[in-house]
Amino acid sequence: MWAIAAADYGAELELVELPEPVARPGELLVRLFAASVNPFDRKVVNGMLRGSAPHVFPLVPGTDGAGEVTGSGERIFGTFFHHPVGTGTYAEYVTVPAENALAPLPEDLDPAVAAALPTAGMTALQLVESLGAAESVLIVGANGGVGSFAVQIARAAGKRVIPVGRGDSLVEADALIDLASTDRPSFEANARYAPLAFNTNYLSSDPAQNFGMKGSREMLARLASMVQAGDLEVPIARRVPLRGAAGVFAGGGPGKTVIVM
Ligand SMILES: NC(=O)c1ccc[n+]([C@@H]2O[C@H](COP(=O)([O-])OP(=O)(O)OC[C@H]3O[C@@H](n4cnc5c(N)ncnc54)[C@H](OP(=O)(O)O)[C@@H]3O)[C@@H](O)[C@H]2O)c1
């Protein structure tokens, strides 16, 4: 099968031909239709999980995808993360533990749209639910993958959303969702603007401020329903064919990048 992979930690991604994976007991073999790109994928290639989990090389990144279970033909989407690290969704086929956060892929949902939902959508949903009764929320990094969903979900929940992009000033609010800070001083400076504050990069000495997404089939199904009902717009900025996807980490910009197989 064709895949996009890195030969070593920190190496450039390249198109490679690899053996089709074989499902072990308790796993599904999935033929992917689409995979989405998350910042976590780049962090993994750069060695974030080095020493804490087994890796295989060439390392195929990617946790999110939509596809069809071989044999049964069941269409699913969700998070495909599992060990060893390096057997991810930037590939034509992937194996996934059956107990992962996976949900049925509705017939009328574009697989590329479904593939863009899992990590960013579930993170946004869970973050907004963590805000409780807060009436106003600052969202730093509002144009990104998580931010684009969080802005919509928070507004739908009746909150006053103050989106913050690069260079924008912060103002006081009831709550802060910081998706952009990469160091503790930056998050602590932002957290002064709101009594309830969360970051997604484990930057705080207060564990309650360090948000970690916990995926579920139920959340995926809710996100799919919201998209189908027209209540959630999925911000796909780029659709890239697998064979041309070696450059997906370059660029950036708003919204989500999706690799189409
Ligand atoms: N802990 C968890 O469970 C969890 C789950 C999901 C994501 N995450 C993490 O959360 C972060 C955000 O994820 P994502 O998918 O939304 O990433 P993303 O799509 O790259 O979005 C990040 C956004 O932040 C903006 N930004 C960067 N620096 C900024 C600054 N100084 N001020 C204002 N905005 C700034 C970026 O704008 P530009 O385009 O201008 O750079 C971009 O719009 C990543 O670090 C990711 O790894 C953690």
Side-chain angles (χ1 to χ4, degrees), residues 93-105:
Y93 288 88
V94 69
T95 57
V96 60
E99 77 269 13
N100 267 35
L102 299 165
L105 170 63

Side-chain angles (χ1 to χ4, degrees), residues 17-211:
E17 198 167 9
L18 296 174
E20 206 177 282
V22 177
R24 294 172 294 193
E27 292 181 342
L28 308 170
L29 174 63
V30 177
R31 181 175 70 83
L32 287 163
F33 303 141
S36 73
V37 177
N38 288 290
F40 178 74
D41 306 342
R42 186 203 300 252
K43 293 175 188 178
V44 167
V45 169
N46 287 338
M48 187 177 90
L49 300 179
R50 190 176 194 163
S52 65
H55 286 59
V56 289
F57 293 92
L59 187 156
V60 179
T63 60
D64 289 4
E68 179 182 81
V69 180
T70 60
S72 73
E74 185 190 3
R75 289 158 54 90
I76 56 171
F77 76 106
T79 55
F80 287 72
F81 183 76
H82 78 309
H83 294 161
V85 176
T87 53
T89 54
Y90 295 9
E92 290 178 307
Y93 288 88
V94 69
T95 57
V96 60
E99 77 269 13
N100 267 35
L102 299 165
L105 170 63
E107 277 300 327
D108 60 347
L109 192 61
D110 177 351
V113 167
L117 283 173
T119 296
M122 290 196 287
T123 300
L125 200 55
Q126 218 175 306
L127 272 166
V128 172
E129 283 174 355
S130 308
L131 301 179
E135 288 177 7
S136 60
V137 55
L138 283 161
I139 302 182
V140 182
N143 294 330
V146 176
S148 321
F149 288 119
V151 167
Q152 297 178 69
I153 295 168
R155 283 194 176 132
K159 303 197 183 297
R160 184 166 66 84
V161 176
I162 305 148
V164 181
R166 208 179 272 278
D168 290 346
S169 303
L170 274 66
V171 295
E172 291 197 352
D174 298 332
L176 165 86
I177 295 175
D178 186 342
L179 304 162
S181 289
T182 52
D183 58 60
R184 185 177 291 184
S186 166
F187 169 65
E188 284 174 350
N190 291 343
R192 289 192 202 111
Y193 287 86
L196 180 66
F198 298 101
N199 76 89
T200 47
N201 282 324
Y202 303 95
L203 300 172
S204 178
S205 52
D206 175 357
Q209 295 184 324
N210 292 331
F211 174 86

